[in-house]
Amino acid sequence: MMEIENPPKRSTPPVSVRPASTRSLTTQAFELLRHDILTSKLRPSERLRIQNLSDQYQIGTTAIREALSRLVTDGLVESEDQRGFCVAPVSRDELLDLTQTRIDIESLALNAAISIGSLEWESRLLGAFHRLSKTPAPTTPELHGEWALVHRQFHEALIQGCGSPWLLRICRLLYDKSERYRNLAEQHTHPERRNTIVEHQQMMDAAMARDGTEATRLLAEHFRETTQIILAANLPNL
């Protein structure tokens, strides 16, 4: 009987895991860079050399470059033709514009949350304030990280009930930009004497009472007070 040769096996294209791996590394690089920019470890206008960052974070240059491009979109990094990337600079004009824009946008979100926020929104807000009130004030660098986290969570909870993912996304971007200024100022000022817990409780109480006029007034006052403290620190370019 004639033997029938088995047909040659087709070579199966290798399954590339690079895209998923690259996404994971890019996310890691993005989070590390974002953290170091927001906490001022990477200073305003500092040149960001891709190879140096790759060595520092032990992440490949492709992931670093993609992360920097994402940070350009978020306004934390700038890109210049033929000159690469640098940390976005700071200025008095930007801070004042940022503060007013944040007041306008977050007031819109807060009014919407007060108008349509559910019982679940109220519960999250109460919980966020409780965590904030029980967290020690950032009077030392060691206490800063935990306080910064619960402070962000409170402000996110305050507007979470607005029902608009786009509004929330814009508010997060504005928060990051404002946080960078506040962290820069903390390095040049003594611990704040203002009672921020009272300020946050007043905002929460007005929101829970569904008083949009009072809640947004307190929010604007809170943001403007922080801006005045930053300006009083006499940072370069401010």
Side-chain angles (χ1 to χ4, degrees):
M1 180 180 294
M2 174 184 266
E3 292 187 1
I4 300 176
E5 293 184 358
N6 291 327
K9 292 182 179 180
R10 295 180 180 178
S11 58
T12 303
V15 177
S16 173
V17 296
R18 185 172 181 180
S21 176
T22 300
R23 283 197 298 272
S24 176
L25 289 173
T26 299
T27 299
Q28 291 179 42
F30 173 82
E31 291 174 350
L32 289 168
L33 285 162
R34 176 178 169 277
H35 174 269
D36 285 353
I37 291 171
L38 293 183
T39 57
S40 304
K41 291 181 181 178
L42 293 171
R43 307 292 294 179
S45 301
E46 182 176 339
R47 186 66 53 193
L48 298 171
R49 304 186 190 283
I50 291 175
Q51 187 58 58
N52 291 349
L53 294 171
S54 176
D55 295 339
Q56 177 181 342
Y57 297 126
Q58 294 295 293
I59 295 176
T61 55
T62 299
I64 293 291
R65 184 177 289 104
E66 291 175 356
L68 289 171
S69 296
R70 284 176 58 183
L71 289 163
V72 169
T73 303
D74 287 354
L76 296 175
V77 168
E78 290 188 353
S79 175
E80 300 178 6
D81 290 341
Q82 308 301 321
R83 299 194 63 186
F85 298 94
C86 71
V87 179
V90 297
S91 71
R92 178 187 179 89
D93 287 345
E94 187 199 42
L95 175 59
L96 294 174
D97 182 36
L98 175 61
T99 301
Q100 187 57 53
T101 302
R102 193 176 174 205
I103 289 170
D104 293 341
I105 297 296
E106 292 209 21
S107 293
L108 181 64
L110 180 53
N111 270 319
I114 287 171
S115 176
I116 66 173
S118 63
L119 181 60
E120 183 181 353
W121 166 67
E122 292 185 2
S123 299
R124 286 198 302 265
L125 180 55
L126 284 168
F129 174 74
H130 181 72
R131 287 190 295 273
L132 179 62
S133 67
K134 296 299 182 181
T135 302
T139 53
T140 66
E142 294 75 22
L143 296 174
H144 181 271
E146 185 178 1
W147 184 88
L149 175 61
V150 296
H151 181 249
R152 175 188 288 269
Q153 289 172 343
F154 173 84
H155 279 280
E156 289 181 349
L158 189 63
I159 60 174
Q160 191 71 42
C162 72
S164 170
W166 268 109
L167 263 181
L168 294 174
R169 179 181 179 185
I170 294 169
C171 287
R172 282 192 292 270
L173 290 174
L174 294 171
Y175 188 98
D176 283 349
K177 295 281 285 185
S178 299
E179 186 76 349
R180 186 165 74 116
Y181 279 92
R182 194 176 62 78
N183 287 333
L184 282 167
E186 275 190 357
Q187 300 171 14
H188 299 269
T189 58
H190 297 294
E192 298 174 17
R193 295 181 179 178
R194 62 196 283 208
N195 193 333
T196 56
I197 293 300
V198 169
E199 292 178 28
H200 290 97
Q201 181 166 9
Q202 288 173 340
M203 286 186 282
M204 178 192 68
D205 289 344
M208 297 286 286
R210 306 288 172 153
D211 187 342
T213 301
E214 179 66 2
T216 54
R217 183 191 70 79
L218 291 166
L219 185 74
E221 187 177 278
H222 180 69
F223 290 166
R224 290 194 177 107
E225 177 65 19
T226 300
T227 297
Q228 289 306 310
I229 291 171
I230 294 170
L231 291 173
N234 293 319
L235 296 171
N237 300 322
L238 293 186

